[in-house]
Amino acid sequence: MLWVAVSVVGLGFLVALEIAARRYGEPGPITDQAREVVFAPKSGTVLYVSMALMMVVLTWRQRFIAIGAAIGIDIVFWLVRWAAGAEMMYGNGALWVTLACGVIALTRRTGQDRVLLLKGVGLALLLVAGRKTGYTWLLITSKTRPKVLDPYVATADHALGNPSWLAGRIVAATGTVGEHVLDFVYIQLAVAAVLVALYQLRNVAAEGRFPGHHLVRTFLVIGLLGPGIYMIYPVVGPVFAYGADGGAWAVANLWPDIPPPVGIPRPIPFDEITPRNCMPSLHTAWATAIFIHSLKGPPILRFAGGFWLIATLGATLGFGYHYGADIVAGVVFTVTIEAALRSLDRGWDRRGIQLVVYGAAVFTALLASYRYLPMEMAARPWLFGPLIIAAMASVIYGYVRTTQLWDRKPEPVHLPQPRREQQPELV
């Protein structure tokens, strides 16, 4: 019943986004996904990593068959597109195999086998649908929020030392090599997430069930809640508001050479194309989630999680997509969601409730201070800078301390052995 309820709510949400996108003359997530059954997908990599998630419920023989079928279908599509001179892209085969597994689950499987395969297919389609709904959300933010709050965040960012301007100059100094590496990490964030998720879900086929909590759940919740914050706090980022990418809409062409001067901030009008997807930084949020979940893996996975987090922070700041204030908000956002999902999985207790409420309060206080106290923050960086970092660190510390208590195994209780009384000696 829970899965049915979630499916109904998710379908209703997709229909609502489809209607909203149609109002602005753009295809919605349902239309966009349906066309990829035949036409060239926007990202074949996402379709293949989604299929990889689905295959955690299959046996090794079934996995090889699925991979072979997907590649074979893609070759056929590739040849037809090449002959017709159409746009070239792979990924249709992976989508066809995922949908075929859903049909097989409904028609050829029964009982627990059917449920398990449907969950695997649903997990793959959720990842694909999440990407499509993200595009639609970004369209809606650009159409419904004509003014942005970048001057407020840029002013508040003086308390943190304008890290985006500093990182931008560092990335520019590294040349094309540094830019290409950071760009790859930034774009392929979903691939890193799937690698960690595959490790967490490696025993699903053998055990016949999914673990209670894994990275995909956190990823989807972040993607669901984050765009709602975009609507409340629309920000485009320094490279658009203060850089050349903003064109005629930019306040000035300052990024990354000259930090913006401190002045009384006001909302500024912006175009209807650039997404208002800056506050909080969801790339930072997702990279933080990858790092948290990689900590329970082998050393190579922990190293990859740490590298992806550091490189993502460098990319989000160095490319001018985010301010330092967004990064802090993104970390608090993720840690709070992760605490809530873990509490939901293990059962709510006093520590879990306190941590979630505290994290939500800190996140709200950060956004409110960026909006209503930016001048004070810029005037007293020696006070507000450490306060912002301390607030983020307190949420992280609370999460680490609470989860350590949750994960601590109870020590075995050693009961005293019953005392043996001496038996009288027979005479």
Side-chain angles (χ1 to χ4, degrees), residues 355-381:
L355 178 58
V356 173
V357 171
Y358 178 70
V362 170
F363 180 75
T364 304
L366 287 173
L367 266 61
S369 63
Y370 301 157
R371 178 65 174 82
Y372 298 107
L373 298 174
M375 293 292 293
E376 289 78 3
M377 297 173 72
R380 300 175 180 83

Side-chain angles (χ1 to χ4, degrees), residues 65-195:
I65 294 174
I67 294 173
I71 294 175
I73 294 171
D74 264 332
I75 291 175
V76 173
F77 271 96
W78 189 278
L79 293 175
V80 171
R81 287 179 183 138
W82 176 76
E87 180 184 357
M88 305 299 287
M89 178 54 72
Y90 63 94
N92 299 88
L95 182 58
W96 276 50
V97 169
T98 302
L99 295 175
C101 287
V103 174
I104 292 173
L106 294 174
T107 58
R108 304 291 298 275
R109 299 288 181 90
T110 59
Q112 184 60 29
D113 290 340
R114 170 186 288 180
V115 173
L116 188 64
L117 184 52
L118 283 177
K119 285 183 178 181
V121 173
L123 196 65
L125 293 180
L126 273 176
L127 184 62
V128 175
R131 191 176 182 89
K132 298 300 180 184
T133 56
Y135 293 144
T136 305
W137 263 118
L138 298 183
L139 170 69
I140 293 174
T141 62
S142 64
K143 299 294 185 181
T144 60
R145 294 295 180 267
K147 292 187 177 182
V148 297
L149 303 178
D150 282 78
Y152 293 88
V153 185
T155 303
D157 222 37
H158 281 275
L160 297 173
N162 301 296
S164 180
W165 272 256
L166 176 60
R169 293 193 294 272
I170 293 175
V171 171
T174 61
T176 57
V177 176
E179 291 182 2
H180 287 320
V181 171
L182 293 180
D183 185 62
F184 175 82
V185 171
Y186 189 84
I187 294 175
Q188 301 300 336
L189 184 68
V191 177
V194 168
L195 292 177

Side-chain angles (χ1 to χ4, degrees), residues 85-382:
E87 180 184 357
M88 305 299 287
M89 178 54 72
Y90 63 94
N92 299 88
L95 182 58
W96 276 50
V97 169
T98 302
L99 295 175
C101 287
V103 174
I104 292 173
L106 294 174
T107 58
R108 304 291 298 275
R109 299 288 181 90
T110 59
Q112 184 60 29
D113 290 340
R114 170 186 288 180
V115 173
L116 188 64
L117 184 52
L118 283 177
K119 285 183 178 181
V121 173
L123 196 65
L125 293 180
L126 273 176
L127 184 62
V128 175
R131 191 176 182 89
K132 298 300 180 184
T133 56
Y135 293 144
T136 305
W137 263 118
L138 298 183
L139 170 69
I140 293 174
T141 62
S142 64
K143 299 294 185 181
T144 60
R145 294 295 180 267
K147 292 187 177 182
V148 297
L149 303 178
D150 282 78
Y152 293 88
V153 185
T155 303
D157 222 37
H158 281 275
L160 297 173
N162 301 296
S164 180
W165 272 256
L166 176 60
R169 293 193 294 272
I170 293 175
V171 171
T174 61
T176 57
V177 176
E179 291 182 2
H180 287 320
V181 171
L182 293 180
D183 185 62
F184 175 82
V185 171
Y186 189 84
I187 294 175
Q188 301 300 336
L189 184 68
V191 177
V194 168
L195 292 177
V196 176
L198 287 176
Y199 174 79
Q200 292 180 322
L201 304 177
R202 65 193 183 280
N203 296 323
V204 170
E207 297 176 355
R209 63 179 181 86
F210 280 83
H213 179 54
H214 49 83
L215 176 61
V216 181
R217 296 178 68 200
T218 307
F219 239 66
L220 292 174
V221 174
I222 290 173
L224 179 64
L225 298 180
I229 311 299
Y230 294 163
M231 301 292 288
I232 299 172
Y233 209 116
V235 182
V236 293
V239 73
F240 298 103
Y242 295 95
D245 289 9
W249 296 94
V251 176
N253 190 359
L254 302 175
W255 189 89
D257 301 315
I258 305 172
V262 177
I264 300 176
R266 292 184 177 86
I268 58 173
F270 218 80
D271 61 34
E272 296 184 0
I273 301 174
T274 307
R276 281 63 163 150
N277 61 338
C278 199
M279 178 65 74
S281 169
L282 291 198
H283 258 79
T284 299
W286 283 318
T288 303
I290 292 173
F291 174 71
I292 291 174
H293 283 264
S294 69
L295 292 177
K296 292 188 176 181
I300 184 64
L301 199 64
R302 295 197 297 269
F303 172 80
F307 167 77
W308 225 271
L309 175 59
I310 295 172
T312 300
L313 292 177
T316 54
L317 291 172
F319 292 150
Y321 298 146
H322 291 280
Y323 303 90
D326 312 332
I327 304 299
V328 174
V331 172
V332 174
F333 185 66
T334 297
V335 174
T336 304
I337 289 175
E338 183 69 19
L341 291 176
R342 287 202 60 175
S343 296
L344 182 65
D345 176 52
R346 69 181 303 277
W348 290 94
D349 60 7
R350 184 173 59 87
R351 289 183 179 275
I353 294 173
Q354 288 177 342
L355 178 58
V356 173
V357 171
Y358 178 70
V362 170
F363 180 75
T364 304
L366 287 173
L367 266 61
S369 63
Y370 301 157
R371 178 65 174 82
Y372 298 107
L373 298 174
M375 293 292 293
E376 289 78 3
M377 297 173 72
R380 300 175 180 83
W382 50 270

